[in-house]
Amino acid sequence: MSAVADAIKKVATGPHLSKDLSLEESREAMLEILSGEVDPVRMAVMLIALRMKRETDEENLGLLLAIQEKTGQHPLDVDNVMLLSDPFNGFSRHCPIAAFLPAVMAACGLPALSQGVYQMAPKFGVTHAQVLEAAGVNIQLTVAEAAEQLNNADIGWAYLDQAITTPSLFALQDLRRLMIKRPSLATLEKLVMPVKAKKTHLQIGFVHKAYPPVLAYLAKQSGFDSALIVRGLEGGIVPTLRETSDNFLLIDGALKPCSLDPHAFGVEQQTRGVMPDLDQLTAAESAQRGVAALQGEKGVAYDLLVYGAAIALWHCGLVSDQNRAGDLVRKSLDSGNAFAAFEKGRTK
C-alpha cells in the first residue's frame, strides 16, 4: 500500500473517526506526491481531507520537510540573508511594490531573496514574478545563479521561481486550480529555504489570527534563525502605512507580539498601501511605480519601500533604532544606491 493511500485511510474517515498523521507519515506521503507517480484524485483527496480535518503542526512540518528535501539548499557565504514571502497567488487590489524590496535591503547591507510563481490559483493576482519581468528582470535564475548574486556585495539580491527551485511542487499547479480551495501547500511553499546563510531570516505575511503560531513553529523547526510575521495588506509582507499594526516576531525561538508604527520609521501616509491609478491592477503599472520609487521619486511606493526594508533591518538587528533604520533606507534610495543594486541584479 502506498503512503498516500495509507494517509487517506487515516485522515478521510469523517469528523469523528479521522486520525492525525505522524510527521514521518506526512513527509512520506508528500514525497510520494512529489514523485509524480500518484493519481491526481488521490492527491486531491488527501490534501482536502487534511484541510477539512485541520492540519496539525506535525503534519504541516512533515509536508514542508518533504518539499524542502525536493528543493535542496544552497549554502551562502554571507552572514545574513532575508527571505521574503509575499503571497504566491499575488495581489488584486494593491500594487506589489514589495517585489523591489530585495534590492533596497541589499543596498542597505542585508542580502535578500524573494520567491514565488508567475501565477497561482485561485486568486491569479499580480505577482512578484510578473512585476519583475515587466521591469526587465530575469525571473528564471537557477538556485546557483541566485546564490552568486546574493554573495556578490555589489548586487546582494535575487528572485527565485518555484518552477526552477521545486519543479515537482510546481507541477501540481493544475491540480490546485481544480481543487479550488487552497491546501496547506499555499502556506508551506512560502517557508521553503532554497538558500541558507550563517543566519537566515524570514519576512512573511498573514491574514487570519490563527496563523502566526503555525508560521512560527514551522519557521523554527525548518531552520530559520528569526521571522518577522506581518499582518500585511492582502497577506503581504509590509504592514499598513497609515497606522500601527499588530505583528509578531520569532526571536530566539520564542514568538512575541510586535506592534509596528510607521511613524516611528519616519513614514507619514494617509493610505494603507499603493493603490493602482488604473481601473485594473497591472504588472506594468506596478513595475513603473516601483522603479520610479527606486530612483528616489517620493510617494506611497517610496514610503512602502522605506517601511518594508526598515522593519527588516531593525528586525535583523542591523539597525537598533527604528527611525535610523528608516533614514538608512531613505539614504539608499535618494543616493541612487538602491537603484544601482537593482540594475546590477537586473542585467546580470
Side-chain angles (χ1 to χ4, degrees):
M1 186 67 70
S2 75
V4 171
D6 287 341
I8 290 172
K9 288 183 177 182
K10 292 188 72 171
V11 302
T13 55
H16 304 296
L17 297 177
S18 291
K19 299 178 178 63
D20 297 332
L21 302 178
S22 68
L23 185 152
E24 191 56 31
E25 287 172 331
S26 175
R27 175 183 163 275
E28 288 180 357
M30 193 65 214
L31 283 173
E32 194 171 278
I33 286 175
L34 295 174
S35 73
E37 298 176 359
V38 178
D39 184 275
V41 173
R42 285 190 174 185
M43 294 187 216
V45 169
M46 189 191 102
L47 293 171
I48 288 295
L50 280 172
R51 173 170 175 162
M52 293 179 69
K53 178 185 73 65
R54 294 191 180 180
E55 303 91 345
T56 66
D57 283 344
E58 282 206 342
E59 286 169 340
N60 276 329
L61 182 58
L63 297 176
L64 176 58
L65 291 177
I67 297 169
Q68 184 65 62
E69 185 174 330
K70 288 293 185 180
T71 303
Q73 198 168 82
H74 198 295
L76 298 175
D77 298 329
V78 296
D79 290 335
N80 294 278
V81 69
M82 173 64 80
L83 269 59
L84 304 177
S85 291
D86 249 344
F88 279 31
N89 62 2
F91 293 77
S92 59
R93 300 186 303 277
H94 300 86
C95 296
I97 304 300
F100 299 96
L101 276 176
V104 180
M105 292 180 185
C108 296
L110 177 60
L113 172 80
S114 68
Q115 50 186 339
V117 296
Y118 196 78
Q119 61 180 8
M120 171 76 75
K123 191 174 182 179
F124 292 111
V126 175
T127 62
H128 280 218
Q130 294 172 16
V131 172
L132 292 173
E133 181 185 62
V137 175
N138 177 11
I139 59 172
Q140 297 296 319
L141 294 179
T142 66
V143 177
E145 289 170 335
E148 182 182 354
Q149 291 193 185
L150 291 165
N151 284 329
N152 186 335
D154 290 333
I155 302 175
W157 72 276
Y159 167 83
L160 277 175
D161 199 89
Q162 187 186 88
I164 305 295
T165 61
T166 323
S168 56
L169 180 59
F170 182 76
L172 303 180
Q173 293 288 301
D174 284 343
L175 176 69
R176 292 168 66 174
R177 175 180 57 82
L178 292 171
M179 287 169 59
I180 300 175
K181 300 301 292 183
R182 296 166 71 243
S184 61
L185 301 181
T187 297
L188 302 177
E189 62 196 355
K190 297 193 295 181
L191 288 128
V192 174
M193 194 191 300
V195 297
K196 186 173 178 62
K198 293 177 183 177
K199 288 187 177 181
T200 305
H201 311 277
L202 175 69
Q203 190 162 329
I204 189 169
F206 76 96
V207 175
H208 303 295
K209 294 180 180 180
Y211 275 91
V214 174
L215 295 171
Y217 171 82
L218 293 170
K220 178 180 177 180
Q221 295 300 320
S222 59
F224 284 97
D225 292 279
S226 75
L228 175 56
I229 302 171
V230 176
R231 187 163 191 174
L233 303 180
E234 298 189 56
I237 57 175
V238 182
T240 171
L241 303 177
R242 188 174 61 194
E243 57 209 0
T244 301
S245 58
D246 295 325
N247 311 280
F248 294 86
L249 293 178
L250 175 66
I251 296 289
D252 298 327
L255 182 64
K256 304 174 182 179
C258 174
S259 179
L260 290 173
D261 181 358
H263 301 95
F265 294 85
V267 172
E268 303 281 345
Q269 276 294 338
Q270 298 303 310
T271 183
R272 299 174 68 221
V274 183
M275 301 295 292
D277 291 331
L278 306 176
D279 291 337
Q280 183 176 358
L281 177 63
T282 66
E285 181 190 353
S286 299
Q288 183 273 323
R289 296 181 69 173
V291 170
L294 278 178
Q295 294 174 318
E297 181 179 297
K298 305 301 188 291
V300 185
Y302 176 97
D303 283 345
L304 186 142
L305 292 181
V306 170
Y307 195 27
I311 61 176
L313 296 171
W314 169 78
H315 160 68
C316 292
L318 300 185
V319 184
S320 59
D321 181 81
Q322 294 181 343
N323 192 262
R324 283 185 57 241
D327 286 343
L328 178 61
V329 180
R330 278 183 282 271
K331 182 178 179 180
S332 77
L333 293 168
D334 296 343
S335 67
N337 289 342
F339 182 67
F342 173 75
E343 281 290 278
K344 289 173 183 176
R346 182 181 69 85
T347 58
K348 180 70 175 176

